[in-house]
Amino acid sequence: MTDSLLPGHPFIAYQDGELCVEQVRLSSLAAQHGTPLFVYSKAAMLSALAAYQRGFAGRQAQICYAMKANSSLAVLQVFAQAGCGFDIVSAGELARVLAAGGDPAKVIFSGVGKTRAEMKQALQVGIGCFNVESTAELDVLSEVACSMGRQAPVSLRVNPNVDPKTHPYISTGLKGNKFGVAHEDAVPIYRHAASLPGLKVVGIDCHIGSQITEVTPYLDAMDRVLDLVIDIEAAGVPIHHIDFGGGLGINYNGDTPPEADALWAQLLAKLDARGFGERQLMIEPGRSLVGNAGVCLSEVLYLKPGEQKNFCIIDAAMNDLPRPAMYQAFHHIAPVQIRKGADTLYDVVGPVCESGDWIGRDRSLSVQAGDVLAVLSAGAYCMSMASNYNSRGRAAEILVDGAQVHLIRERESVFDTFQLEHLPA
Ligand SMILES: *Cc1c(COP(=O)(O)O)cnc(C)c1O
């Protein structure tokens, strides 16, 4: 029996009562490598990427993986080898791209707070574009580039002011958040950018939010951006590429985002209709490339029955899986081996000393202490947001490729976590 837990994701499924990632049983990975343990499917990542590649077939388009979703070197290598560029938000991420064999010319640098040192490093290796988010940043970037005798390729992140209909913390394209420049101000800021000696204007970009499950916000944002391109070019500043950001959602809990190729069929139809079909396009998907390619395995430590709630206490916590605590996010939780018996309703919680340390509420499970659970949809914004809170070492990571198992990150020891600290004599 093969039973896919996530529609559209055949790579994580039960085979004869055993949850597998591709051809590998998760129970054996947990036994061999311990828990908490992140496990990623290479085929699932490449399949998510393939949906975008199909969508852009025959077009001039560059897919830049927004690596903050999952910045592990082996994950970056998978995307670099598949021809992706990278959307980075720090010099640390740039260093990771280079270490993983990524092409700096395909790197775009986003973020509201780039430091001079970060700009310098990015210019030294020759990144493809700086996605600039304010006038002040334009001025500093020009200065830094001039001091190095260079010109920085820039795009301005514009705020199309459309509501992506997602969680407020991951909605970024509305007035009143810190990202991008206001639609109304874009033309004068482009004129200013074009006048600065250290800059070369190459594009325009937007990113309206994350976990977007509808097409309409994208279509609206595209119209707003294309209106601006017309105005900016009329003001004498040519725009070479148009970057529509990332943000496409995944199925966490019955969410029904469009497939990437279906989304882009509609967006490309609009681009064609408005006469922009031949432009160089860029996109910055993060979550949709990795989110449903990963699970986090965790062992049940204790069952704690209570008057109002039963608790299932597991060895993974908010430091490993921060999304429930941060965004009240939902992750499916499934046993890696199906156990016969009646289900009980549990709140699945971690050992961290915070009431916010829950992983799933009111979950119906048939479990005993010692069982291993898989927290699904854990490929994006989990390990990359993991911390050492409560002096917990970060989890190990495995990349599965068919029947092959690669340990891509060792478990962090307690010693690792205090190596950089000093006791005053
Ligand atoms: C986070 C981010 C992305 C990726 O968003 P996803 O929702 O993970 O696709 C893309 N571009 C920018 C500028 C971002 O900040």
Side-chain angles (χ1 to χ4, degrees):
M1 181 197 75
T2 297
D3 181 14
S4 177
L5 285 168
L6 297 160
H9 290 268
F11 308 103
I12 301 167
Y14 283 106
Q15 288 169 28
D16 302 319
E18 286 270 353
L19 190 59
C20 298
V21 166
E22 300 190 33
Q23 295 162 40
V24 178
R25 288 180 168 203
L26 293 176
S27 59
S28 356
L29 289 182
Q32 194 180 346
H33 298 278
T35 52
L37 181 71
F38 283 92
V39 183
Y40 308 119
S41 157
K42 182 177 177 183
M45 292 184 217
L46 291 177
S47 148
L49 176 63
Y52 282 100
Q53 290 167 329
R54 280 195 302 278
F56 287 121
R59 304 280 178 159
Q60 291 194 65
Q62 177 64 53
I63 300 167
C64 292
Y65 166 51
M67 62 177 281
K68 71 179 190 286
N70 186 323
S71 47
S72 297
L73 293 181
V75 171
L76 303 183
Q77 185 184 52
V78 167
F79 289 112
Q81 287 176 349
C84 286
F86 296 90
D87 175 42
I88 65 166
V89 292
S90 72
E93 287 195 342
L94 177 58
R96 283 184 168 271
V97 167
L98 301 176
D103 178 357
K106 292 185 191 168
V107 167
I108 51 185
F109 193 168
S110 299
V112 294
K114 304 174 192 78
T115 66
R116 285 167 195 263
E118 288 179 317
M119 292 171 175
K120 214 168 186 171
Q121 288 172 45
L123 283 164
Q124 260 153 7
V125 300
I127 68 160
C129 189
F130 290 83
N131 286 0
V132 173
E133 306 218 13
S134 65
T135 310
E137 185 191 336
L138 282 177
D139 294 335
V140 170
L141 180 57
S142 176
E143 221 178 277
V144 172
C146 285
S147 77
M148 299 169 69
R150 304 253 173 120
Q151 269 200 322
V154 298
S155 158
L156 263 182
R157 176 167 175 180
V158 298
N159 213 325
N161 199 27
V162 301
D163 184 353
K165 304 191 176 81
T166 184
H167 190 284
Y169 283 13
I170 48 181
S171 160
T172 56
L174 279 169
K175 278 185 186 173
N177 73 50
K178 69 177 179 180
F179 300 103
V181 303
H183 192 91
E184 306 76 70
D185 303 336
V187 173
I189 299 178
Y190 263 101
R191 272 212 208 92
H192 177 63
S195 76
L196 292 173
L199 304 185
K200 179 173 168 37
V201 173
V202 294
I204 188 167
D205 65 283
C206 73
H207 171 71
I208 57 175
S210 200
Q211 186 52 21
I212 300 169
T213 55
E214 293 175 38
V215 178
T216 315
Y218 279 106
L219 288 167
D220 293 348
M222 177 174 275
D223 267 324
R224 303 273 293 163
V225 169
L226 296 182
D227 292 347
L228 267 183
V229 172
I230 293 169
D231 293 348
I232 294 160
E233 295 195 324
V237 183
I239 300 292
H240 176 250
H241 76 246
I242 310 179
D243 172 351
F244 291 102
L248 180 57
I250 62 169
N251 177 10
Y252 284 104
N253 184 25
D255 309 288
T256 52
E259 297 290 327
D261 50 349
L263 169 69
W264 275 95
Q266 290 194 51
L267 289 169
L268 289 167
K270 181 180 280 295
L271 276 172
D272 288 342
R274 294 198 55 179
F276 289 93
E278 305 293 302
R279 288 291 167 118
Q280 170 72 41
L281 304 175
M282 315 254 267
I283 53 161
E284 308 163 355
R287 186 191 314 272
S288 54
L289 292 179
V290 290
N292 273 336
V295 301
C296 179
L297 304 184
S298 180
E299 185 181 321
V300 176
L301 298 174
Y302 301 104
L303 297 179
K304 183 174 172 183
E307 235 169 75
Q308 297 189 349
K309 290 249 175 201
N310 300 308
F311 292 99
C312 172
I313 302 167
I314 63 174
D315 67 356
M318 63 188 285
N319 72 300
D320 306 295
L321 294 162
R323 299 187 63 259
M326 271 185 85
Y327 317 112
Q328 287 84 49
F330 182 98
H331 287 270
H332 268 297
I333 301 173
V336 303
Q337 288 173 315
I338 291 174
R339 176 188 284 289
K340 297 256 166 7
D343 281 1
T344 305
L345 210 57
Y346 292 105
D347 271 15
V348 179
V349 300
V352 160
C353 296
E354 294 274 350
S355 295
D357 182 29
W358 57 278
I359 306 298
R361 294 208 158 117
D362 297 323
R363 302 307 172 86
S364 195
L365 293 165
S366 171
V367 282
Q368 289 181 10
D371 285 3
V372 174
L373 297 176
V375 178
L376 303 191
S377 309
Y381 301 108
C382 291
M383 189 59 181
S384 60
M385 292 176 109
S387 76
N388 292 123
Y389 189 40
N390 278 212
S391 291
R392 292 166 52 88
R394 283 175 298 173
E397 293 180 297
I398 298 280
L399 181 70
V400 170
D401 180 7
Q404 270 186 307
V405 172
H406 303 281
L407 176 65
I408 60 169
R409 183 198 299 257
E410 291 175 39
R411 186 172 303 287
E412 197 174 26
S413 71
V414 174
F415 175 75
D416 292 329
T417 70
F418 56 62
Q419 247 197 117
L420 300 177
E421 295 179 44
H422 302 284
L423 290 171

